[in-house]
Amino acid sequence: MIYSLKGIVQQLNPTSVVIDVQGVGYLVGVSLQTSEKLVLGKETFLNIQQIIREDANLLFGFNTILEKEMFNLLISVNGVGPVSALIMLSSLSLTEISAGILSNNSVMLQKVKGIGAKTAERIIIDLRDKVQKFGVSDENISIFVNNKVKEESLSALEVLGISKKMSEKIADRILKQNPDLRVEDLVKQILKNI
């Protein structure tokens, strides 16, 4: 079982990398978060998850052990394959994934390409008790909820022809004073303050 690789980055793509380890090139699937930290021609170290199937021997690499652990949790859910797990790790941070799971936010998980309503619900049910260690506090969850409220409010205002730059500063100020506002209330408050 390949547990880790240390070698030179021979080829680098957004979702895969070839690591040259003493003349042997290993093709490794990576998330965008890991890919961004790699530099072509430089030495790197990746935590590896090897998945052996009848028709393939696949390697997936991670910059941190925590990212590898989240990947393994995600692929343990029925209906989530390695590619879907990598897409999720590319689209959301570890904190966002765990906050989404802990706050039962299946809508946020469904924004990830390839994750439908049933799969999102299954991820939440299966992993709710297993994601606490990914640094999510109640404070992070409320910030996350605030961001969702803020984004929906800014989108609604853009439809009304109000620039995002202008309304974002006002939204931040209002949410600092009153973090539990709903979208409708935040839109009204922003309109009053323009």
Side-chain angles (χ1 to χ4, degrees), residues 40-59:
L40 197 60
K42 296 280 186 193
E43 187 173 75
T44 191
F45 174 87
L46 288 178
N47 299 287
I48 298 293
Q49 181 59 51
Q50 185 176 21
I51 297 177
I52 299 171
R53 295 185 177 154
E54 277 181 35
D55 60 342
N57 185 352
L58 306 170
L59 299 177

Side-chain angles (χ1 to χ4, degrees), residues 77-144:
V77 176
N78 194 5
V80 180
V83 173
S84 295
L86 273 189
I87 292 170
M88 186 171 278
L89 289 167
S90 296
S91 308
L92 304 167
S93 71
L94 297 179
T95 306
E96 287 172 331
I97 294 170
S98 43
I101 292 168
L102 290 170
S103 62
N104 290 329
N105 191 344
S106 70
V107 174
M108 187 265 298
L109 297 178
Q110 287 174 59
K111 287 182 180 172
V112 175
K113 186 176 176 260
I115 303 292
K118 283 183 181 174
T119 306
E121 290 298 331
R122 211 175 295 130
I123 290 170
I124 289 168
I125 291 164
D126 289 3
L127 302 184
R128 190 178 293 136
D129 301 331
K130 299 175 183 173
V131 294
Q132 267 89 8
K133 70 169 161 191
F134 291 94
V136 179
S137 63
D138 290 342
E139 188 180 301
N140 283 353
I141 291 175
S142 68
I143 287 167
F144 189 77

Side-chain angles (χ1 to χ4, degrees), residues 3-186:
Y3 185 76
S4 64
L5 289 175
K6 184 178 180 184
I8 304 296
V9 179
Q10 188 179 329
Q11 288 178 28
L12 181 58
N13 302 305
T15 57
S16 68
V17 60
V18 176
I19 305 288
D20 181 338
V21 181
Q22 298 177 351
V24 179
Y26 293 90
L27 177 63
V28 182
V30 291
S31 70
L32 290 175
Q33 290 179 38
T34 293
S35 176
E36 286 170 357
K37 294 181 173 68
L38 301 175
V39 180
L40 197 60
K42 296 280 186 193
E43 187 173 75
T44 191
F45 174 87
L46 288 178
N47 299 287
I48 298 293
Q49 181 59 51
Q50 185 176 21
I51 297 177
I52 299 171
R53 295 185 177 154
E54 277 181 35
D55 60 342
N57 185 352
L58 306 170
L59 299 177
F60 297 94
F62 308 95
N63 196 41
T64 66
I65 284 285
L66 275 181
E67 189 183 20
K68 178 180 175 178
E69 286 176 14
M70 180 63 88
F71 175 82
N72 284 321
L73 284 175
L74 290 168
I75 63 172
S76 73
V77 176
N78 194 5
V80 180
V83 173
S84 295
L86 273 189
I87 292 170
M88 186 171 278
L89 289 167
S90 296
S91 308
L92 304 167
S93 71
L94 297 179
T95 306
E96 287 172 331
I97 294 170
S98 43
I101 292 168
L102 290 170
S103 62
N104 290 329
N105 191 344
S106 70
V107 174
M108 187 265 298
L109 297 178
Q110 287 174 59
K111 287 182 180 172
V112 175
K113 186 176 176 260
I115 303 292
K118 283 183 181 174
T119 306
E121 290 298 331
R122 211 175 295 130
I123 290 170
I124 289 168
I125 291 164
D126 289 3
L127 302 184
R128 190 178 293 136
D129 301 331
K130 299 175 183 173
V131 294
Q132 267 89 8
K133 70 169 161 191
F134 291 94
V136 179
S137 63
D138 290 342
E139 188 180 301
N140 283 353
I141 291 175
S142 68
I143 287 167
F144 189 77
V145 171
N146 282 352
N147 282 347
K148 192 169 176 251
V149 167
K150 178 179 149 187
E151 279 181 29
E152 286 180 21
S153 301
L154 296 180
S155 295
L157 290 164
E158 270 186 309
V159 171
L160 297 173
I162 296 162
S163 83
K164 192 171 183 176
K165 264 187 182 175
M166 187 195 300
S167 52
E168 191 164 16
K169 286 177 186 169
I170 299 168
D172 288 338
R173 195 174 67 231
I174 293 167
L175 283 171
K176 257 185 195 168
Q177 297 165 351
N178 204 340
D180 298 325
L181 282 177
R182 293 186 333 230
V183 174
E184 304 81 37
D185 300 326
L186 182 58

